[in-house]
Amino acid sequence: GNSVTQMEGPVTLSEEAFLTINCTYTATGYPSLFWYVQYPGEGLQLLLKATKADDKGSNKGFEATYRKETTSFHLEKGSVQVSDSAVYFCALIRNAGGTSYGKLTFGQGTILTVHP
Amino acid sequence: DTGVSQDPRHKITKRGQNVTFRCDPISEHNRLYWYRQTLGQGPEFLTYFQNEAQLEKSRLLSDRFSAERPKGSFSTLEIQRTEQGDSAMYLCASSWTLTGSGIKDEQYFGPGTRLTVT
């Protein structure tokens, strides 16, 4: 079946440090890949997505590249801020025939804390 | 666009009681999803609807769980005879997904309903 594995956390960084959160997946076919973020006390928000191999998703300074050869979708940001402190979830949707199978499969989440 | 809303936000109930949660999706969205999230874990898929049709149910959805979307708009999730293991955050999401039109599967989540079974 489909699965997503994220690097074990939590991750603690100083402001302006470089961030990498690793994500690898197992899926049949060509899934769409996502990063969601959950800020304290808030719901899940879509951060970025990529729908095919070598696509790069980007938003708010975060980037992730869909690497089919390594089945990875690592999240990166060059300079984190205190406001980036949140829980980050990698997720996939299985696709076929140009449409979506609907359900998101999530990783276990990585807690990021950024100190001033 | 008012986003996905869920009601109630918090529910405390005693073991054995029935509970019902409501989700109102973004108005033009045709798909509606339910997920469950326990502390320290990612959300787990429960079920989803396309319009009023329930297209898939997870094995996590025991016979005590039932979901409906009677008119293709809002949805309800009912848990009968609640157990302590049902304590979790129940998340609703919606998306606009057209078959054959390409992959438009961005799901937008509501704030969730936190259920505590005592």
Side-chain angles (χ1 to χ4, degrees):
Chain A
N2 301 331
S3 66
V4 176
T5 302
Q6 291 183 230
M7 65 183 292
E8 297 198 6
V11 175
T12 303
L13 295 173
S14 297
E15 206 165 24
E16 299 183 1
F18 185 85
L19 169 70
T20 300
I21 300 178
N22 289 339
C23 170
T24 57
Y25 68 89
T26 302
T28 54
Y30 299 89
S32 294
L33 302 175
F34 304 82
W35 278 99
Y36 278 83
V37 58
Q38 191 169 35
Y39 297 104
E42 298 185 17
L44 281 165
Q45 299 177 25
L46 178 63
L47 181 59
L48 54 85
K49 65 178 276 191
T51 58
K52 61 183 187 295
D54 300 324
D55 264 3
K56 178 184 284 187
S58 61
N59 186 26
K60 300 181 181 180
F62 290 90
E63 292 182 339
T65 301
Y66 189 143
R67 300 288 188 199
K68 186 153 180 68
E69 64 276 13
T70 54
T71 61
S72 66
F73 193 55
H74 305 321
L75 183 68
E76 297 182 334
K77 186 175 185 182
S79 175
V80 294
Q81 305 300 312
V82 172
S83 57
D84 294 327
S85 298
V87 184
Y88 292 81
F89 293 95
C90 186
L92 68 82
I93 286 180
R94 185 177 157 217
N95 299 305
T99 192
S100 162
Y101 273 73
K103 65 181 181 184
L104 281 160
T105 299
F106 285 89
Q108 71 271 32
T110 300
I111 300 172
L112 171 66
T113 303
V114 181
H115 293 296
Chain B
D1 179 358
T2 58
V4 178
S5 61
Q6 293 187 244
D7 184 68
R9 295 290 303 276
H10 304 274
K11 178 71 177 178
I12 299 173
T13 191
K14 293 184 177 179
R15 186 167 54 93
Q17 298 294 305
N18 299 342
V19 294
T20 300
F21 310 141
R22 177 179 169 125
C23 171
D24 287 88
I26 294 171
S27 57
E28 65 269 24
H29 285 183
N30 61 342
R31 283 193 176 179
L32 186 149
Y33 311 81
W34 287 99
Y35 295 85
R36 181 171 67 187
Q37 185 179 19
T38 53
L39 201 60
Q41 299 297 315
E44 294 175 298
F45 170 78
L46 294 178
T47 187
Y48 85 98
F49 296 82
Q50 180 156 310
N51 301 314
E52 64 274 10
Q54 190 172 18
L55 296 189
E56 187 175 352
K57 292 193 296 185
S58 165
R59 286 171 293 178
L60 293 174
L61 215 63
S62 76
D63 291 345
R64 298 184 297 105
F65 288 70
S66 62
E68 294 183 342
R69 193 182 184 200
K71 296 183 179 179
S73 57
F74 73 92
S75 175
T76 58
L77 177 68
E78 182 183 16
I79 308 174
Q80 296 183 328
R81 306 181 302 282
T82 53
E83 302 172 355
Q84 287 188 320
D86 297 331
S87 295
M89 178 77 85
Y90 289 83
L91 300 172
C92 177
S94 69
S95 71
W96 175 244
T97 305
L98 286 177
T99 302
S101 70
I103 299 168
K104 299 183 189 297
D105 46 17
E106 297 177 13
Q107 295 182 22
Y108 295 86
F109 283 80
T113 294
R114 182 169 295 284
L115 173 66
T116 302
V117 182
T118 62

